[in-house]
Amino acid sequence: MVEVAVGIPWRGGCPERERGMEFTRRQLSEVFPGAPVSLVDAGGERFSRAASRNKAMKLFPDADVVILHDACNLVDPDGLHAAVTEAADGRLWFPFTEYRSLTQIESSQVISGFYPHSRGAPWALSPEGGVWVMRPQSWWKCGGMDERCIGWGWEDSIFLRVAHAVVGHARTPHTAWHLWHPHVPRDYEDHQMRAQGEALYERYGQAVATPGALEDMIAENLRHQGAIC
């Protein structure tokens, strides 16, 4: 049997998000009975989803597969189980291909026990984040997430770029939904931080295209993580 662990990067403060998080945590405990489902915050004045995801991977080094699951997402359980099974190949797996956005009313209905099926407005096809399914060894082979990306923003795109080059990635043909919550100001709305993330993304892009350079970028990322531990 595959040993699964779940990490939810999380910092509270919004009642609607907290309601969604509690629902998500219950759902994951039902889908994977007996598996640890942990809220993870790497600390610091500003929340870092990148650092919190890395911390989750460090919490479960002996798990066969770790699911990094954002707090306000709902994924078809068949997609989660399929991704966990497929992750044995060492790739990064997304347990969905389509991502849909639920309204406030639809989200309340889902939290009350009504499964969304195909409801919800299309948000994105093949989105870059939300739920990640991966073996810890593969995660660290990619260097983990770059913690120089603060808050939300660019960490998903950078890691996906690295993972695609180092271990590959794939998706299951399922759907995920985003639970509604009020707009929460996030650090990617800080233009300076957004520019910093964009510059890192471009550097990784250049490294992927240059023989030997990606290994140097991964090593740089890991050194930075060690410096701030």
Side-chain angles (χ1 to χ4, degrees):
M1 180 178 293
V2 178
E3 183 177 338
V4 179
V6 182
I8 301 174
W10 174 254
R11 180 171 291 183
C14 170
E16 289 85 359
R17 287 189 68 242
E18 295 196 11
R19 186 174 178 226
M21 177 274 293
E22 292 293 350
F23 169 77
T24 297
R25 186 160 61 169
R26 289 196 307 271
Q27 287 291 107
L28 289 167
S29 295
E30 292 174 6
V31 174
F32 298 103
V37 179
S38 299
L39 301 179
V40 185
D41 185 345
E45 181 180 353
R46 292 178 181 263
F47 177 72
S48 171
R49 189 165 58 172
S52 297
R53 284 175 172 158
N54 285 341
K55 182 177 179 179
M57 280 292 180
K58 293 173 184 176
L59 287 176
F60 306 117
D62 298 324
D64 295 316
V65 176
V66 175
I67 300 170
L68 300 173
H69 198 296
D70 283 359
C72 295
N73 287 322
L74 171 66
V75 181
D76 185 331
D78 290 341
L80 284 169
H81 282 296
V84 165
T85 299
E86 297 293 349
D89 67 6
R91 290 186 288 176
L92 164 64
W93 278 83
F94 293 97
F96 56 89
T97 299
E98 182 183 50
Y99 195 47
R100 304 183 73 88
S101 177
L102 297 175
T103 65
Q104 182 176 4
I105 292 175
E106 289 169 339
S107 295
S108 295
Q109 291 172 339
V110 167
I111 291 173
S112 298
F114 295 92
Y115 202 75
H117 299 292
S118 62
R119 290 180 296 174
W123 189 332
L125 289 174
S126 302
E128 296 181 340
V131 183
W132 310 66
V133 182
M134 201 170 189
R135 293 175 58 82
Q137 299 92 328
S138 297
W139 181 265
W140 295 115
K141 187 175 182 180
C142 297
M145 286 202 160
D146 197 314
E147 298 180 16
R148 289 170 289 188
C149 297
I150 303 298
W152 292 261
W154 293 106
E155 74 283 349
D156 290 350
S157 300
I158 288 173
F159 187 83
L160 182 57
R161 174 168 272 183
V162 175
H164 179 74
V166 176
V167 298
H169 78 280
R171 298 178 181 275
T172 70
H174 298 87
T175 301
W177 296 267
H178 180 267
L179 298 171
W180 178 90
H181 58 73
H183 174 73
V184 179
R186 292 177 171 175
D187 289 319
Y188 62 64
E189 295 169 355
D190 181 309
H191 294 298
Q192 181 178 352
M193 290 188 175
R194 186 168 182 82
Q196 177 178 311
E198 185 174 7
L200 270 174
Y201 180 76
E202 294 301 326
R203 286 187 62 201
Y204 275 98
Q206 294 168 5
V208 167
T210 306
L214 183 56
E215 290 82 356
D216 292 340
M217 281 295 293
I218 290 172
E220 178 184 320
N221 176 23
L222 289 169
R223 286 195 301 272
H224 178 77
Q225 292 177 37
I228 63 177
C229 287

